[in-house]
Amino acid sequence: MTKLLLSVHVIAAILAVGSIAVAASLFPRFAKLAVAQGPQAEGGEEKGKAVGIAAFLHRICRVYAVAGLVVPVFGVATGAQMGVLGDAWLIASMILTAVTAFLLAMAIIPGQERMLTMARQGGAAVQGLNAAAARLGMLTGVFNLLWAVVVVLMIVRPGSTTGA
């Protein structure tokens, strides 16, 4: 049973968290591109394409954030099955997972929504776009770094007595 739980946990992490990491990292570029082209740009179709891509990347983040709830659920089930729920490496991983979920739900996704609004409205709405894009890029980088730390903790499992 442990192998099944661990397999679902790892597959869900790769598919959900990986998709969010890539989509969130690409989002600021396409949102800025949509605004830079302007509403009267000769390649008006390109602006629509850039806004469409940004909207699609945002949708990926929203949908996979919900799907990603499977990751900690199966992670806790796996930890319980292995009898390691009290181990420091797992507690640290759970805390970092909660921090990344909070960051995604309270900063990254709302930041994407604000940038999409700027991209769609254009004009005076684009004030502060570069700052918003830089902030969103930084938050996404922190999100990805925290997940990298969680992955390392899951692989190395410092202090674990269950073997490596």
Side-chain angles (χ1 to χ4, degrees), residues 1 5 13 19 24 38 42 48-49 133 147-148 153:
M1 185 60 142
L5 293 171
S19 298
E42 194 171 306
K49 198 181 285 187
W147 275 119
L153 285 172

Side-chain angles (χ1 to χ4, degrees), residues 2 5-6 75-85 87 89 157 160 162-163:
T2 302
L5 293 171
L6 182 59
V76 169
T78 302
Q81 187 77 22
M82 293 173 64
V84 295
L85 284 180
D87 287 7
W89 63 271
R157 300 186 319 201
S160 175
T162 61

Side-chain angles (χ1 to χ4, degrees), residues 38-121:
Q40 303 301 328
E42 194 171 306
E45 182 179 315
E46 287 300 313
K47 176 183 174 153
K49 198 181 285 187
V51 170
I53 292 170
F56 179 67
L57 293 170
H58 175 61
R59 192 173 320 119
I60 288 171
C61 290
R62 281 192 344 256
V63 170
Y64 280 86
V66 174
L69 294 174
V70 169
V71 176
V73 169
F74 277 86
V76 169
T78 302
Q81 187 77 22
M82 293 173 64
V84 295
L85 284 180
D87 287 7
W89 63 271
L90 189 58
I91 293 169
S93 295
M94 289 189 287
I95 291 169
L96 290 174
T97 298
V99 170
T100 59
F102 181 82
L103 189 61
L104 181 64
M106 302 308 288
I108 294 172
I109 290 177
Q112 289 177 345
E113 289 169 358
R114 284 189 297 276
M115 283 191 72
L116 268 178
T117 300
M118 289 179 195
R120 287 181 175 136
Q121 291 177 349

